[in-house]
Amino acid sequence: MIGALRGLGTGLRKPKKRATAPPEGPSESVQLTGMTGGLSRGLRAMALAGALGLALACAPGAAVAGEQTVKVLSLNVWLDSHQGADKIAEEIKASGADIVGLQESNDHTQELADRLGYHAVQQRDTTAILSRFPIEQVTPNRDAVVVRLDNGKKLAVGNVHLYYKPYQPYQLLKIPYEDAPFIDTEAEAQAEAIKARGEDVDRALGDLETLKGLPRVTTGDHNEPSHLDWTQRAADAGHHPIKVAWPASLAFARAGFKDSYRVLNPDEVAKPGYTWTPTTEPGDPKDHHDRLDFVMYDGPGITPVKVEIVGENSQNADIVVTPYPTDHRGVLTTFKVE
């Protein structure tokens, strides 16, 4: 959630400006890590490995690689890695991610890429994509890129950071935040969510639509829960105050995208998968724990085989990083791309 520094004694988050227009310049703003003064050591190694792979593929009787494993991480780094880019880089390394959708990342994006030896694209003020695979294309609104995998296949990768206010769970629970009005019903929550994020969702899905036909993944901090979580079952179990069919996750679903966490963990009561937030206790009256971070997928030949939460302890995460450097847990999905 953007602006997640909590005010002393208030339980409120420090607001941050909304993402502005895309950065100036065409697709040459794609930054290939380590190009200054020649290839970095990491890229030289990747180039050598690529050349060797090509030679082997062209040898008589050699078979071209088919299925490939790709690990995709969604990670909000908390106000441009305010605990330091080295801590975020350590978290990414611990996850083993091949592709990372970053939220709340700008000034430290290239430093993270350099530390990892990855390619980088700064999308907007608060979003960026890192990839160990070469980035071949950036969509017009910069909400998605195309990478080429080791097996030669193309993979479309989107990443979003949807607008943070008003935040409907707080409105429903009567938690003061950003002077937003309190609300009571599902219809009110849906209307407020569309007003806050509808434009962002339409733009992101428009960019992803231009890449339809490819296997596609999209990461993001939606600053909005999922319709797959706020069900009547979950409300009856006390996880959430009411049932809400949240519009952002519904829009992605209607566009064909599946939520990898819920595909592999279909029981929303037994496996809530909370990513917001490791910084407060579950019973904090000024907060509400929820799943706001997503790795979704669509298209031919892509299948999720494992999903893991990256966080602060074994009670809340599958991959533990201590001390934990950000206010969102990460979501890591392992895909098979055929």
Side-chain angles (χ1 to χ4, degrees), residues 168 172 182-193:
Q168 287 68 58
L172 287 166
F182 295 152
I183 58 178
D184 297 296
T185 68
E186 178 181 24
E188 289 175 312
Q190 291 169 325
E192 290 282 296

Side-chain angles (χ1 to χ4, degrees), residues 17-228:
K17 67 179 182 178
R18 184 170 185 169
T20 57
E24 294 291 334
S27 60
E28 50 269 17
S29 60
V30 174
Q31 298 170 348
L32 300 182
T33 305
M35 292 302 287
T36 304
L39 289 173
S40 68
R41 180 169 56 186
L43 282 181
R44 284 198 300 270
M46 284 190 284
L48 179 59
L52 178 59
L54 179 61
L56 290 172
C58 294
V64 177
E67 185 178 86
Q68 178 160 1
T69 299
V70 180
K71 293 187 174 184
V72 180
L73 175 68
S74 184
L75 184 64
N76 182 314
V77 300
W78 198 359
L79 300 176
D80 227 341
S81 310
H82 79 284
Q83 291 195 18
D86 56 333
K87 299 295 184 184
I88 299 296
E90 288 172 12
E91 180 176 358
I92 295 171
K93 287 178 182 177
S95 76
D98 301 298
I99 296 169
V100 188
L102 298 174
Q103 303 91 42
E104 296 192 29
S105 181
N106 190 311
D107 293 343
H108 285 170
T109 296
Q110 191 57 43
E111 183 179 352
L112 286 171
D114 289 341
R115 287 175 181 272
L116 296 164
Y118 280 17
H119 306 276
V121 170
Q122 186 68 44
Q123 299 169 276
R124 295 174 173 269
D125 280 356
T126 66
T127 51
I129 294 173
L130 306 181
S131 171
R132 79 169 182 84
F133 308 109
I135 298 170
E136 296 191 342
Q137 179 185 342
V138 181
T139 53
N141 290 314
R142 307 184 72 81
D143 284 310
V145 303
V146 176
V147 305
R148 186 171 293 277
L149 305 180
D150 296 333
N151 64 1
K153 302 290 186 181
K154 291 184 177 182
L155 176 67
V157 181
N159 178 52
V160 297
H161 189 197
L162 302 183
Y163 199 44
Y164 71 101
K165 68 175 183 178
Y167 184 57
Q168 287 68 58
Y170 288 178
Q171 291 178 279
L172 287 166
L173 289 161
K174 312 299 189 289
I175 299 172
Y177 179 59
E178 295 289 335
D179 298 320
F182 295 152
I183 58 178
D184 297 296
T185 68
E186 178 181 24
E188 289 175 312
Q190 291 169 325
E192 290 282 296
I194 290 170
K195 183 169 62 177
R197 298 171 206 94
E199 181 182 331
D200 293 347
V201 171
D202 288 345
R203 187 197 66 236
L205 287 174
D207 262 24
L208 286 164
E209 180 67 20
T210 67
L211 303 173
K212 196 167 186 177
L214 293 176
R216 300 182 294 178
V217 296
T218 183
T219 60
D221 170 8
H222 283 193
N223 278 313
E224 181 178 313
S226 171
H227 69 287
L228 300 174

Side-chain angles (χ1 to χ4, degrees), residues 274-290:
Y274 295 149
T275 61
W276 175 260
T277 171
T279 65
T280 64
E281 294 299 320
D284 189 331
K286 295 180 178 178
D287 210 342
H288 180 68
H289 287 204
D290 221 322

Side-chain angles (χ1 to χ4, degrees), residues 210-331:
T210 67
L211 303 173
K212 196 167 186 177
L214 293 176
R216 300 182 294 178
V217 296
T218 183
T219 60
D221 170 8
H222 283 193
N223 278 313
E224 181 178 313
S226 171
H227 69 287
L228 300 174
D229 295 352
W230 280 53
T231 62
Q232 190 60 56
R233 269 184 12 107
D236 293 343
H239 286 216
H240 307 296
I242 61 173
K243 178 190 84 69
V244 179
W246 294 104
S249 60
L250 270 174
F252 277 90
R254 287 167 179 160
F257 286 91
K258 300 178 183 68
D259 181 335
S260 64
Y261 187 86
R262 276 289 159 253
V263 167
L264 296 177
N265 296 287
D267 189 333
E268 75 278 18
V269 175
K271 289 282 191 177
Y274 295 149
T275 61
W276 175 260
T277 171
T279 65
T280 64
E281 294 299 320
D284 189 331
K286 295 180 178 178
D287 210 342
H288 180 68
H289 287 204
D290 221 322
R291 192 170 68 99
L292 305 181
D293 303 84
F294 303 93
V295 179
M296 299 179 177
Y297 69 99
D298 162 78
I302 181 168
T303 306
V305 295
K306 188 176 185 181
V307 64
E308 298 164 284
I309 302 295
V310 185
E312 76 285 15
N313 57 46
S314 58
Q315 289 73 42
N316 296 295
D318 306 292
I319 299 171
V320 176
V321 177
T322 55
Y324 194 69
T326 177
D327 63 341
H328 284 242
R329 297 183 187 101
V331 181

